[in-house]
Amino acid sequence: MKLDKQTQSDLFDYLLRLGDDRLILGHRVSEWCGHGPILEEDIALSNIALDLIGQSINFLSLAGKVEGQGRTEDDLAYHRDALDFKNLMLVEQPNGDFGFTMVRQFLFDAYSLLLMEALQASELKELAAIAGKALKEVRYHLRHSSQWVLRLGDGTEESHRRVQNALDDLWMYTREMFESDEVEQRLVQKGIAVDSTSLKSGWESMVFQILKQATLEIPGEQGYYSSGSRQGIHTEHLGYILADMQFLPRAYPDAKW
Amino acid sequence: MKKEEQIIQALRQVKDPEVPVLDIVEMGIVRGVEITESQIIITITPTYTGCPAMRVIEEEINQVLKTEGYENVEVKTVLFPAWTTDWLTEEARLKLKAYGIAPPEKVNEVDLNPFNWEEKKVACPFCESMNTSLTSQFGSTACKALYYCNNCQQPFEHFKCI
Ligand SMILES: [Zn+2]
């Protein structure tokens, strides 16, 4: 891969964003393994976690190659600290109840579907290939999460109340998905990255339609929105995930399993 | 038989660890065999990115080809074009059905749309009835969904169309 210094550093950063979103969400979802409300959901969530972690392996492994320092996907997952993680704050939020997990998943899946679709046209063919592969899985995830949002939103009084609360709590983390910065813009110019701002209207029409059908109230545009995770700013929750996820390989660097 | 074909035949000994009735050739996992002066390159593609079977498959390819007397084998993984159930051979579909797994239909519009509420209709592999219902889109492995036959009252798995 022949890249100039600036593009190499931008691309490394961009691939970390893509990889970290899926790594952290995959880790979160995997926390349901053995705790699912019914057996089928336990299996479904474990499958989804596995897909997400598989996708993150692809993005992080490519990041390592682009960086050219010999770092593998494992090095990047286990030996970076919170400030170096570039995932959205949305995906690091604790699972809450099952409804909360499904709303978080739904908001992310709709975004991921549009992003993977668009990334298939990337000039960087390795990146386009990973996106095309992930897209098939994301379709299944979105089908699953949107069906649960519908069932719970348009379900009992209690399920409706719970998912409405989840939606209200998570809404402040949604705007970040559609924020762009210099790193991304330079890669957009080169035809490598997707402009995040271009995904907003498609996401809104998809998400709003399901939320309406689910009889849920769409939170207003006003209110506080968090920002900055692409630059390494996170909520307090990320540190705990990393402590859990990174403890073993750091404490026992030669461990094999 | 050409050397490439012999290698393909040898690779048919490698089964998918999660669907042991199928081998990796009829599953469409093997994408190519290339013989250069110094080595044999086997190109494979994963079914699902998180599929834990891929590493086992890679090890087995090396094992089988070594046993068959081939040396300097390299296994390469490609992601593009992404694996699709449309690559399953007709023979593979019949084997799946005999094994009790409803084989995938050709990928169509319904499969490509994440918002198809009306459940996809799948025939029961035991009694052929179309009176079946989806239990869960995620089965025991990433590649399968869970169904229930309302006619013969048996649960069964369907190979998801992707
Ligand atoms: Zn039946």
Side-chain angles (χ1 to χ4, degrees):
Chain A
M1 217 176 300
K2 286 232 187 318
L3 300 166
D4 60 80
K5 276 262 171 280
Q6 181 72 59
T7 308
Q8 184 186 23
S9 124
D10 289 343
L11 186 54
F12 177 66
D13 202 329
Y14 189 67
L15 290 167
L16 289 183
R17 298 173 187 189
L18 289 163
D20 290 347
D21 278 350
R22 286 149 191 87
L23 175 65
I24 299 301
L25 185 58
H27 191 81
R28 268 290 182 237
V29 175
S30 80
E31 291 170 3
W32 277 102
C33 184
H35 301 274
I38 49 170
L39 183 61
E40 285 78 7
E41 278 314 303
D42 204 296
I43 294 170
L45 289 165
S46 302
N47 266 307
I48 292 167
L50 209 54
D51 284 342
L52 288 165
I53 290 167
Q55 292 164 15
S56 84
I57 290 174
N58 286 338
F59 287 120
L60 293 181
S61 135
L62 183 57
K65 277 181 207 139
V66 166
E67 187 194 33
Q69 309 274 329
R71 285 206 276 182
T72 67
E73 64 274 21
D74 282 350
D75 296 329
L76 291 170
Y78 298 131
H79 297 280
R80 279 181 300 143
D81 295 326
L83 277 172
D84 305 319
F85 270 77
K86 303 294 169 69
N87 59 279
L88 296 162
M89 290 185 222
L90 175 73
V91 301
E92 68 201 30
Q93 298 310 305
N95 286 337
D97 58 25
F98 180 73
F100 190 95
T101 294
M102 282 303 123
V103 173
R104 184 188 63 199
Q105 192 68 33
F106 170 62
L107 298 172
F108 180 78
D109 288 342
Y111 158 74
S112 190
L113 182 92
L114 296 170
L115 180 56
M116 294 302 123
E117 267 175 1
L119 272 179
Q120 288 185 108
S122 172
E123 292 286 335
L124 186 71
K125 63 178 198 320
E126 292 92 336
L127 179 53
I130 297 173
K133 183 79 199 155
L135 177 62
K136 295 190 180 219
E137 296 159 2
V138 176
R139 265 189 212 120
Y140 263 92
H141 301 173
L142 180 58
R143 197 173 290 158
H144 176 256
S145 60
S146 61
Q147 280 178 358
W148 273 111
V149 167
L150 276 174
R151 273 169 85 169
L152 296 172
D154 195 14
T156 64
E157 201 184 310
E158 184 178 4
S159 72
H160 178 87
R161 177 175 54 77
R162 283 177 182 242
V163 294
Q164 182 67 60
N165 286 344
L167 187 64
D168 294 342
D169 286 351
L170 288 167
W171 202 251
M172 63 185 271
Y173 302 111
T174 57
R175 191 170 285 175
E176 271 199 313
M177 297 190 276
F178 312 110
E179 285 172 354
S180 190
D181 67 355
E182 286 173 5
V183 170
E184 188 183 276
Q185 284 305 318
R186 281 192 294 264
L187 294 171
V188 169
Q189 300 276 303
K190 296 213 176 283
I192 294 174
V194 170
D195 187 340
S196 296
T197 60
S198 72
L199 303 174
K200 191 165 190 249
S201 66
W203 182 85
E204 283 180 346
S205 69
M206 205 187 292
V207 167
F208 289 0
Q209 196 193 337
I210 298 292
L211 294 180
K212 276 181 198 144
Q213 224 176 317
T215 72
L216 292 163
E217 201 174 311
I218 298 157
E221 279 277 316
Q222 275 80 33
Y224 174 75
Y225 287 91
S226 65
S227 177
S229 63
R230 298 306 194 196
Q231 283 75 43
I233 295 168
H234 293 281
T235 57
E236 68 189 278
H237 309 295
L238 181 66
Y240 293 96
I241 301 182
L242 296 185
D244 186 26
M245 190 176 81
Q246 297 178 332
F247 167 75
L248 196 76
R250 288 197 185 200
Y252 304 94
D254 300 322
K256 293 249 183 302
W257 59 87
Chain B
M1 212 178 346
K2 275 174 65 189
K3 196 170 170 195
E4 279 94 341
E5 284 165 30
Q6 284 170 359
I7 292 172
I8 297 249
Q9 280 311 312
L11 289 175
R12 297 201 64 172
Q13 295 170 47
V14 181
K15 307 292 173 191
D16 183 324
E18 287 176 346
V19 195
V21 284
L22 299 185
D23 65 63
I24 57 172
V25 176
E26 61 195 352
M27 288 255 324
I29 290 174
V30 175
R31 302 315 301 156
V33 173
E34 193 192 337
I35 303 169
T36 69
E37 276 186 19
S38 56
Q39 57 177 176
I40 297 169
I41 303 166
I42 312 291
T43 307
I44 58 172
T45 195
T47 50
Y48 286 77
T49 42
C51 185
M54 288 315 287
R55 268 183 210 182
V56 182
I57 288 173
E58 199 176 321
E59 278 165 26
E60 277 200 38
I61 291 175
N62 280 310
Q63 195 63 45
V64 161
L65 293 184
K66 201 174 165 191
T67 311
E68 295 280 328
Y70 296 102
E71 279 173 358
N72 299 320
V73 172
E74 193 200 332
V75 181
K76 224 172 66 182
T77 301
V78 294
L79 295 178
F80 184 85
W83 183 80
T84 161
T85 39
D86 286 353
W87 291 344
L88 259 70
T89 62
E90 203 44 51
E91 193 190 347
R93 288 163 204 265
L94 293 172
K95 280 193 204 166
L96 272 179
K97 192 165 172 239
Y99 191 61
I101 299 173
E105 302 76 37
K106 244 192 159 1
V107 176
N108 61 35
E109 287 295 306
V110 178
D111 301 310
L112 298 177
N113 177 3
F115 300 111
N116 58 330
W117 310 122
E118 71 288 8
E119 290 160 10
K120 190 182 162 72
K121 280 295 148 205
V122 172
C124 168
F126 306 115
C127 73
E128 315 278 339
S129 171
M130 289 303 282
N131 183 14
T132 61
S133 43
L134 176 71
T135 310
S136 174
Q137 290 175 57
F138 296 88
S140 58
T141 62
C143 55
K144 288 171 275 173
L146 285 177
Y147 277 79
Y148 184 79
C149 176
N150 301 312
N151 184 47
C152 72
Q153 312 205 337
Q154 289 203 73
F156 67 91
E157 289 186 303
H158 173 241
F159 214 91
K160 294 196 288 214
C161 305
I162 69 162

